[in-house]
Amino acid sequence: MTVVPRLVLSAPSSGHGKNALAIGLLAALAERGVDVAGFKLGPDHVDAAYLGLASGRPGRVIDPRLIGMDRLAPLVAHGAAGAGLAVVQGSMGLYDAVGGRPEQESTAAAAAALRSPVVLVVDVAAMGQSVAALVHGFRSYDEQLWLGGVILNRVASSRHEAMLREALDDVGVPVYGALRRQDLPAVLPSRRHGVAPVVDGSADAVRAVRRLGEAVAATVDLERLLGLARSAPELPAPAWSPQEALGAFTAPANRPLVALAGGPGGSFSHPETAELLRAAGAEVVTVDPLRDEALPVGTRALVIGGALPEAYAEQLSANRRLCIAVAELARTGRPVVAEGAGLLWLARELDGLPMCGVLDAIGVSRDGLVAGYREATAQTDSVVAAQGTVLVGHKAHRAVLTPRAGQRPAWSWEGGTPEGFVWRNVHASQLTLHWAGHPATAARLVAAAATEPTNEAVPAQPGAVPAQPGSVPAQPGSVPA
């Protein structure tokens, strides 16, 4: 068992300020010298990235749908090893679950699995004594829930604060802080930029996190919160280990180099992806798809994680040298795994801009957001999964691809047509997986990277269109014309 002081931050619903509060809390305590770790419940890469920036160690997504409830505690123990506090930022409202299974997938269920106290962040801008009824109801709804107290957000005045504190004192609920309406300003970079400001090490992102930390330090009783976190019992499971997750897999002797799309501040993949690849025997090096003009020397495989922002199409397109290098890597039969917007980068074009041209498909951005979990079945043997394997992934994209799938689709799921592309050793899909939920993907990828492509993997290309200056031709046979 592992001792990790911890808190789960939740709220009655989305919009109460728990994201800014969680980031600010981590930043405030890190500034005081406390070793902290941040975790995000749900599939949100962006929130996890800023939690990581605030804590100084990778922020991690711990989504019960993607990794299984049984891995929550092990991954927290792993990601918070040696930390004086782990903060788990909840998703939506405390008892909400997108899939309609709150007893298994809500923040409350995760808090129970983690044996963690919950601190409820409540927007009280339009509320008086009724805050006591609200909080009492959340505490009473589930007798197994450990509601440790509340933090009040958007308090109007000192008189308003006194009224709220008195009402909550009457029902025996501690108040750990009260923030005025202007205390948590909207300073974080626009979400259209996704995780890019964190991955790039943006000064604006760093300043925003520092500002939130200063606001929390000035208004929240940090010592009392630490005391509550330290009262949590041992986690009910040992720490997750990438080596143990891979089981009996034997790492190759030649340590193939796997390039992971990212930047100086991290990658566009979950942190566990790199950890599993290294445990499987790979050397992992970051390549910046926006700035690097070549793949690292000796690259044997490329992974483009699902957090790559769609909004950066112009920058991706402008980096023609890297586009050509990626196309050549795919053409020679080396493994390339692209998730989310990574699929769009491999397409012929996106919104009229030339991309890598690995797949003869065209992406177009639309206004509506496609988002949700998918229980997907692998339609083709690939470096990601064996045919017939059933995995849960998450989609969140605005751009759509035509055609939606290649001659060898990646996935199918109930209620939808086949999706994604498997071509040679390329696996590309807008579905994003959490590799901790399926560690075999890392083993399959590294094994393929360590092996020389066969003639069957790199067939002749009769009728291929010669490359034009500054462009990359799509490879024939990847998808129907």
Side-chain angles (χ1 to χ4, degrees):
M1 301 297 179
T2 310
V3 176
V4 177
R6 58 197 180 276
L7 298 169
V8 171
L9 283 187
S10 190
S13 67
S14 298
H16 283 250
K18 64 179 178 294
N19 179 37
L21 200 289
I23 294 168
L25 178 59
L26 288 170
L29 287 168
E31 180 65 23
R32 292 191 173 195
V34 179
D35 192 348
V36 291
F39 302 85
K40 171 61 182 179
L41 279 169
D44 195 326
H45 288 270
V46 180
D47 286 357
Y50 282 99
L51 293 172
L53 181 60
S55 65
R57 63 166 74 193
R60 297 175 187 263
V61 167
I62 50 169
D63 187 319
R65 286 291 293 276
L66 300 180
I67 63 173
M69 186 65 81
D70 60 332
R71 289 192 181 94
L72 250 62
L75 280 173
V76 169
H78 169 70
L85 174 68
V87 173
V88 179
Q89 180 192 329
S91 178
M92 302 182 294
L94 179 58
Y95 294 106
D96 297 331
V98 171
R101 296 181 290 186
E103 70 284 352
Q104 301 174 30
E105 298 168 4
S106 66
T107 298
L114 295 171
R115 298 181 183 174
S116 175
V118 174
V119 175
L120 203 65
V121 181
V122 184
D123 183 339
V124 293
M127 192 179 300
Q129 289 90 340
S130 293
V131 69
L134 174 76
V135 175
H136 176 67
F138 271 82
R139 181 179 58 183
S140 303
Y141 183 78
D142 181 358
E143 293 182 354
Q144 302 301 313
L145 182 79
W146 180 3
L147 184 63
V150 300
I151 295 175
L152 306 175
N153 189 22
R154 301 186 68 209
V155 177
S157 63
S158 297
R159 182 171 176 271
H160 187 206
E161 179 181 342
M163 177 196 306
L164 297 166
R165 286 181 178 272
E166 182 179 355
L168 289 165
D169 184 61
D170 286 343
V171 293
V173 176
V175 176
Y176 290 98
L179 292 89
R180 296 291 191 266
R181 290 178 176 176
Q182 69 280 3
D183 283 343
L184 289 180
V187 292
L188 293 174
S190 168
R191 285 188 69 89
R192 69 177 294 272
H193 296 296
V195 305
V198 176
V199 170
D200 293 343
S202 157
D204 288 342
V206 173
R207 282 193 294 269
V209 168
R210 184 184 303 120
R211 172 69 182 85
L212 293 176
E214 291 168 352
V216 169
T219 54
V220 174
D221 192 333
L222 299 178
E223 289 304 318
R224 286 180 67 212
L225 270 183
L226 279 173
L228 176 65
R230 289 166 182 157
S231 69
E234 293 180 340
L235 282 167
W240 180 81
S241 160
Q243 291 81 9
E244 293 179 5
L246 291 169
F249 174 74
T250 301
N254 59 345
R255 287 186 60 78
L257 191 152
V258 177
L260 198 62
S267 79
F268 296 114
S269 302
H270 297 111
E272 294 81 5
T273 298
E275 294 167 351
L276 285 164
L277 287 170
R278 292 190 180 99
E283 178 184 354
V284 179
V285 179
T286 300
V287 59
D288 189 336
L290 305 179
R291 296 174 180 81
D292 290 339
E293 295 188 349
L295 293 168
V297 176
T299 294
R300 302 286 291 263
L302 171 65
V303 177
I304 310 151
L308 180 68
E310 289 183 332
Y312 283 69
E314 290 185 10
Q315 295 92 321
L316 292 169
S317 177
N319 194 351
R320 301 311 305 154
R321 291 182 182 274
L322 186 59
C323 284
I324 292 169
V326 170
E328 179 64 12
L329 188 76
R331 186 197 67 79
T332 56
R334 296 296 183 191
V336 177
V337 175
E339 299 179 320
L343 167 62
L344 303 173
W345 189 34
L346 297 188
R348 180 183 286 277
E349 65 180 54
L350 172 60
D351 293 334
L353 300 170
M355 292 292 157
C356 293
V358 173
L359 307 168
D360 191 9
I362 294 175
V364 177
S365 295
R366 296 184 178 178
D367 291 336
L369 177 66
V370 176
Y373 297 98
R374 302 289 187 273
E375 186 175 285
T377 301
Q379 292 298 293
T380 310
D381 279 330
S382 71
V383 294
V384 168
Q387 184 177 8
T389 302
V390 178
L391 300 174
V392 177
H394 186 264
K395 289 169 69 79
H397 60 87
R398 297 185 185 278
V400 296
L401 210 63
T402 304
R404 175 183 167 91
Q407 291 175 338
R408 300 167 64 206
W411 306 107
S412 68
W413 49 77
E414 185 178 354
T417 57
E419 189 263 11
F421 302 78
V422 177
W423 176 71
R424 297 181 183 170
N425 268 334
V426 174
H427 185 285
S429 167
Q430 287 178 303
L431 190 71
T432 298
L433 304 175
H434 197 309
W435 288 23
H438 190 247
T441 295
R444 293 176 72 89
L445 179 71
V446 172
T451 305
E452 290 299 322
T454 63
N455 290 334
E456 289 76 13
V458 191
Q461 299 182 57
V465 180
Q468 301 300 314
S471 68
V472 183
Q475 307 303 322
S478 57
V479 293

